[in-house]
């Protein structure tokens, strides 16, 4: 069997993190079996379609590194890949169902249906459609059509027996046919519902496996009966485990913000993870662990190494919460392993989104030291604020530069000596600065150790309690800016 899987989001907004996990698992399965990964846009619900959502979804998938073999932007032999452009095909097969007795025209208005549901609810009865139009004679149907009464097309679901859903992850799921409603397949506007479009597209696009969220288990009996009515073989089903709120209490909803154990809001959009400074490889690593395990007690792995191991039967069907603290840890681990140049580029892009412009040279100077200090790319903003804020006009207070081991007078002598050294240092690099400034520090402190002085020097040139090491910070600032900040610090200290 040639593996062909699809990720088929509705363009009703952003790419949800649960949808991203579904996309990742589909992509991994396709890549691991030499198959195709298809992107299909299911936009039949035109009222909920959001302008720009398709592009936003594709941008999020690309940021994750997920590429597709066929889709709206790349084309393919089974296109078009946007459902609203395939309406004639759905109409054709809805008519086929009508002609062969597997569907019927329903003339009930929305108001009538609403009233019946309210009455059934009040009586604590069955609120699903009561199938009254299923009983209309051919003459009654013709009369309603002649009067121009609009209608929808409903499926004639079986009312007796059992439908078995064969699921690779969960085994056979048995559903009494009495629980399957006569679902609407074609709306009065001529567009299909999800159910008809989904089955028709999966058949004509030769989809071999359907990996989707377990919330669709309830629709699987309808889909299987549609396949049977058409006489088509159905794809292999694999319903993925439910993604829970980080607190473990309830589903991670698309339409409501999630909260962790401490009541804090958490991220749900893929673009939010990007903007919050998480790395795409770390996010993929994290999502692959949600319901599946690499094995060998290994938690950190590039997704390329996971692909050969990924099999549907190894997915745990149990609901799984998203441990966001683990994502923080994973991102920090991935950052530590990044090439310095690659990390500098990533940090620069993040800083630009935050509204800061920093030269590549400055970032390359601090990245080796900063790499082990970052948990997320956005953490760099706090460390590097001194590079775009004017520290020369706001020198640190004297009591912050002096200490028991570095009296004010010694601090002045040390900073003056440091200024003279930095002004003449050739080249201005960390090795040169380390040798010269460490020697100055050892000569001015009361205990003969450079630490207290280097701390004061870092505060003088960055104005920050937390920053990269002082040597890297001076190189990043550049000679002129570093000297200007030392001048401001010296002006704040009492004269000898």
């Amino acid at each position: 069997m040639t593996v062909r899987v699809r990720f088929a989001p509705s363009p009703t907004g952003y790419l949800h993190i649960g949808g991203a996990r579904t996309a990742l698992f589909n992509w991994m399965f396709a890549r691991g079996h030499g198959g195709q990964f298809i992107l299909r846009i299911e936009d039949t619900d035109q009222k909920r379609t959001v302008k720009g959502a398709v592009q936003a979804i594709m941008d999020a998938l690309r940021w994750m590194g997920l590429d597709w073999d066929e889709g709206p932007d790349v084309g393919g032999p089974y296109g078009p890949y946007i459902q609203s452009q395939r309406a004639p095909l759905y109409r054709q097969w809805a008519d086929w169902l009508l002609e062969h007795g597997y569907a019927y025209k329903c003339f009930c208005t929305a108001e009538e249906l609403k009233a019946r549901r309210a009455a059934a609810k009040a009586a604590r009865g069955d609120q699903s459609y009561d199938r009254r139009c299923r009983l209309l004679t051919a003459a009654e149907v013709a009369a309603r059509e002649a009067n121009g009464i609009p209608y929808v097309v409903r499926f004639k679901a079986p009312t007796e027996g059992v439908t078995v859903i064969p699921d690779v992850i969960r085994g056979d799921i048995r559903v009494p046919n009495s629980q399957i409603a006569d679902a609407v397949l074609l709306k009065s506007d001529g567009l299909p519902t999800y159910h008809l479009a989904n089955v028709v597209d999966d058949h004509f696009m030769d989809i071999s496996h359907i990996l989707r969220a377990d919330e669709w288990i309830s629709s699987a009996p309808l889909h299987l009966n549609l396949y049977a009515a058409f006489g088509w073989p159905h794809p292999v089903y694999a319903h993925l485990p439910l993604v829970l709120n980080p607190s473990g209490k309830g589903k991670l909803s698309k339409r409501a913000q999630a909260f962790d154990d401490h009541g804090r809001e958490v991220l749900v959009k893929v673009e939010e993870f990007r903007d919050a400074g998480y790395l795409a490889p770390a996010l993929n690593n994290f999502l692959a662990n949600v319901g599946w395990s690499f094995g060998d007690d290994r938690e950190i792995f590039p997704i390329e190494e996971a692909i050969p191991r990924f099999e549907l039967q190894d997915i745990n069907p149990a609901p799984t919460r998203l441990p966001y603290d683990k994502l923080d840890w994973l991102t920090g681990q991935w950052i530590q392993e990044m090439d310095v140049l690659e990390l500098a580029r990533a940090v620069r892009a993040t800083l630009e989104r935050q509204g800061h412009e920093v030269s590549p040279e400055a970032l390359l100077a601090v990245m080796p030291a900063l790499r082990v200090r970052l948990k997320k790319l956005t953490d760099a903003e706090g460390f590097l604020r001194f590079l775009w804020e004017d520290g020369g006009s706001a020198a640190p207070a004297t009591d912050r530069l002096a200490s028991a081991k570095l009296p004010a007078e010694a601090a002045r002598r040390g900073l003056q000596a440091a200024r003279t050294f930095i002004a003449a240092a050739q080249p201005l690099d960390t090795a040169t600065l380390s040798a010269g400034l460490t020697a100055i520090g050892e000569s001015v402190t009361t205990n003969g150790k450079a630490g207290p002085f280097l701390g004061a020097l870092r505060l003088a040139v960055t104005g920050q309690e937390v920053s990269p090491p002082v040597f890297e910070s001076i190189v990043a600032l550049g000679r002129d800016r570093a000297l200007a900040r030392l001048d401001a610090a010296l002006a704040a200290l009492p004269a000898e």
Side-chain angles (χ1 to χ4, degrees), residues 39-59:
L39 177 63
R40 186 173 76 215
I41 303 299
E42 299 191 339
D43 64 340
T44 56
D45 190 347
Q46 293 287 294
K47 292 180 180 178
R48 293 183 57 230
T49 295
V50 174
K51 185 178 180 181
V54 173
Q55 189 61 51
I57 290 169
M58 291 195 296
D59 288 347

Side-chain angles (χ1 to χ4, degrees), residues 408-423:
E409 183 274 331
R412 164 174 278 283
R413 283 190 291 109
L415 292 179
Q416 185 62 63
R419 191 201 186 286
T420 302
F421 178 81
I422 292 169

Side-chain angles (χ1 to χ4, degrees), residues 475-488:
V475 173
L477 274 172
R479 195 187 310 271
D480 292 343
R481 294 177 72 196
L483 294 176
R485 295 187 181 192
L486 281 172
D487 288 340

Side-chain angles (χ1 to χ4, degrees), residues 112-338:
E112 290 171 339
L113 294 173
K114 183 178 179 180
R116 286 182 217 154
R117 281 195 299 269
K121 183 177 181 180
R124 297 184 179 180
D126 183 3
Q127 296 178 47
S128 60
Y129 179 60
D130 59 12
R131 295 187 165 110
R132 65 179 59 192
C133 285
R134 182 168 174 166
L135 306 176
L136 294 177
T137 65
E140 289 172 324
V141 170
R144 284 166 169 74
E145 286 192 89
N147 289 328
I149 300 175
Y151 63 86
V152 300
V153 176
R154 288 184 181 272
F155 182 59
K156 275 187 182 178
T159 57
E160 298 180 352
V162 173
T163 295
V164 179
I165 309 166
D167 190 286
V168 177
I169 298 173
R170 302 163 189 275
D172 287 349
I173 304 170
R174 303 175 66 84
V175 179
N177 288 337
S178 58
Q179 296 179 9
I180 306 174
D182 284 7
V184 174
L185 301 180
L186 202 71
K187 295 175 283 188
S188 58
D189 62 5
L191 285 175
T193 62
Y194 165 79
H195 304 295
L196 177 63
N198 174 276
V199 168
V200 169
D201 284 347
D202 284 344
H203 173 72
F204 284 102
M205 291 183 179
D206 281 344
I207 299 303
S208 64
H209 295 72
I210 295 176
L211 283 64
R212 61 185 182 182
D214 72 345
E215 64 191 66
W216 295 109
I217 290 176
S218 60
S219 67
L222 169 61
H223 298 172
L224 284 167
N225 280 288
L226 272 170
Y227 280 111
F230 285 129
W232 299 338
H234 63 79
V236 176
Y237 282 94
H239 289 93
L240 306 177
L242 180 67
V243 176
L244 299 175
N245 196 316
S247 67
K249 301 172 183 176
K251 173 186 172 184
L252 186 61
S253 172
K254 293 181 181 179
R255 298 181 178 87
Q257 183 66 323
F259 298 89
D260 65 11
D261 291 324
H262 306 288
R264 298 172 300 200
E265 289 187 347
V266 299
L267 310 178
V268 294
K269 307 176 186 179
V270 169
E271 63 192 53
E272 288 178 334
F273 287 88
R274 179 202 65 194
D275 293 344
Y278 292 100
L279 295 175
L283 183 63
N284 290 339
N285 185 170
F286 172 70
L287 290 175
N289 282 323
V290 179
W292 181 79
S293 174
F294 185 93
D296 301 333
D297 294 325
R298 186 174 169 190
E299 292 187 286
I300 305 172
F301 50 83
I303 210 67
E304 291 75 18
E305 291 186 19
I307 287 172
R309 292 172 171 253
F310 184 76
E311 294 295 346
L312 300 182
Q313 59 267 26
D314 295 332
I315 297 173
N316 187 334
T320 308
R321 74 180 187 93
L322 290 180
Y324 282 24
D325 52 347
K326 179 62 69 65
L327 176 58
D328 289 344
W329 175 77
L330 277 172
T331 302
Q333 297 299 307
W334 274 91
I335 286 175
Q336 288 184 34
E337 297 301 319
M338 287 181 76

Side-chain angles (χ1 to χ4, degrees), residues 37-41 54-55 57-59 61-62 66-76 80-82 85:
F37 175 64
I38 294 97
L39 177 63
R40 186 173 76 215
I41 303 299
V54 173
Q55 189 61 51
I57 290 169
M58 291 195 296
D59 288 347
L61 290 171
R62 285 198 177 96
L66 307 186
D67 57 333
W68 44 96
D69 304 290
E70 302 168 29
D73 57 335
V74 300
Y81 295 89
I82 298 178
Q85 299 174 8

